[in-house]
Amino acid sequence: MEIGLHFVVEDSFFQQYFLDDVVSSFVEQSGQLSLFEVEKPMQRTFVKGVALSVNQQNYYLDVEKEWFDEKQFIEQVRRWFIENKNIAVLDLKRCLYILKKLSQRYEISLEWLSSKQMSNVFDLSVAAYLVNPLQEEYGYDYIAREYLDLQLPSEKEYLEKKSWKDKKEQGETEFVTVCCYHSYVAVHAACELKKKLEHTQQMKLYKKVELP
């Protein structure tokens, strides 16, 4: 089973949690309280949506619906990792950071996110960089164009400097389509990029050096 996975998250999430991690690290190392340590209200979720491509089918999971159980979904992803399912993502570091935060929220051990569980997880942005290190960005639009012969609008073109939340309110159909571009391109271009790495004899470098 091949699985393409993508979490839709606002850029502001990474800025906020990066600061939180820095503050936490400072407190742990110094043993002192920080002025930045203030109690923040727990959001229901910072994830705006989940795109999946499984067995040639594309799915969008609306996390705002009552039927969506975030903890149950993370447990399912955890099982995929532990069972070494073939998973393709566009940015593994980004994905792992999100999964780490979600696991911490529900007090799930982080052991499943260790490097030994990454053997069957393929990071397309790292692979595309190794094949062509001169490219400025390695988004789904570039990978689709280079390896699937598809012309897709980029994420920046779609968002037009607006948030994912705003774009969803403008039109849910287009929102879902763009979200699914990520997982669709990941799972369908993975095979071609693996062939490129083998052909250029960079698969060993990809596995031993570039992965988080």
Side-chain angles (χ1 to χ4, degrees):
M1 180 169 67
E2 299 282 346
I3 302 170
L5 175 64
H6 180 73
F7 292 94
V8 182
V9 174
E10 304 286 8
D11 287 343
S12 57
F13 157 77
F14 295 100
Q15 297 167 359
Q16 172 193 334
Y17 278 92
F18 175 75
L19 176 59
D20 289 349
D21 285 348
V22 170
V23 170
S24 298
S25 177
F26 170 78
V27 173
E28 288 175 6
Q29 293 177 26
S30 67
Q32 300 175 3
L33 292 177
S34 166
L35 293 176
F36 292 104
E37 276 197 303
V38 293
E39 216 168 295
K40 300 185 181 75
M42 176 70 84
Q43 296 176 319
R44 180 178 181 273
T45 181
F46 52 81
V47 176
K48 302 303 178 185
V50 180
L52 284 173
S53 292
V54 184
N55 294 333
Q56 303 299 313
Q57 296 294 318
N58 302 305
Y59 305 93
Y60 171 76
L61 307 182
D62 190 337
V63 302
E64 296 179 350
K65 300 295 185 183
E66 290 186 5
W67 55 260
F68 182 80
D69 187 321
E70 188 173 70
K71 182 179 180 181
Q72 188 178 55
F73 178 73
I74 295 306
E75 290 283 10
Q76 178 60 64
V77 176
R78 176 176 172 271
R79 285 192 291 272
W80 286 338
F81 273 65
I82 293 173
E83 294 169 2
N84 286 322
K85 300 295 186 184
N86 292 320
I87 300 173
V89 297
L90 290 175
D91 186 338
L92 181 55
K93 287 183 179 179
R94 175 187 183 278
C95 184
L96 291 180
Y97 194 75
I98 293 169
L99 291 173
K100 173 187 173 183
K101 290 300 178 184
L102 290 172
S103 295
Q104 289 174 332
R105 163 173 283 185
Y106 298 108
E107 299 181 341
I108 300 171
S109 170
L110 299 180
E111 185 177 355
W112 69 285
L113 296 175
S114 64
S115 57
K116 65 181 180 181
Q117 301 291 349
M118 297 296 117
S119 60
N120 282 45
V121 182
F122 189 67
D123 187 337
L124 277 83
S125 62
V126 170
Y129 166 76
L130 289 175
V131 173
N132 180 12
L134 300 180
Q135 182 69 20
E136 290 185 5
E137 296 183 353
Y138 300 89
Y140 67 80
D141 54 310
Y142 165 75
I143 294 174
R145 185 170 64 252
E146 289 294 308
Y147 301 102
L148 300 176
D149 196 26
L150 288 176
Q151 298 291 329
L152 301 177
S154 70
E155 186 175 299
K156 286 183 179 179
E157 290 172 334
Y158 167 69
L159 287 175
E160 299 174 324
K161 298 184 178 180
K162 297 178 182 177
S163 69
W164 285 102
K165 180 178 181 293
D166 290 341
K167 295 299 288 188
K168 183 178 181 181
E169 291 174 353
Q170 285 184 7
E172 190 164 359
T173 299
E174 187 180 12
F175 172 86
V176 169
T177 299
V178 173
C179 290
C180 289
Y181 283 157
H182 294 80
S183 59
Y184 175 88
V185 171
V187 78
H188 285 82
C191 183
E192 289 302 314
L193 270 165
K194 288 177 183 178
K195 290 179 182 178
K196 285 285 186 180
L197 289 177
E198 295 286 0
H199 180 71
T200 57
Q201 299 183 337
Q202 295 189 90
M203 183 60 83
K204 185 177 180 180
L205 176 63
Y206 166 84
K207 290 181 177 179
K208 299 297 183 182
V209 180
E210 296 292 345
L211 291 183

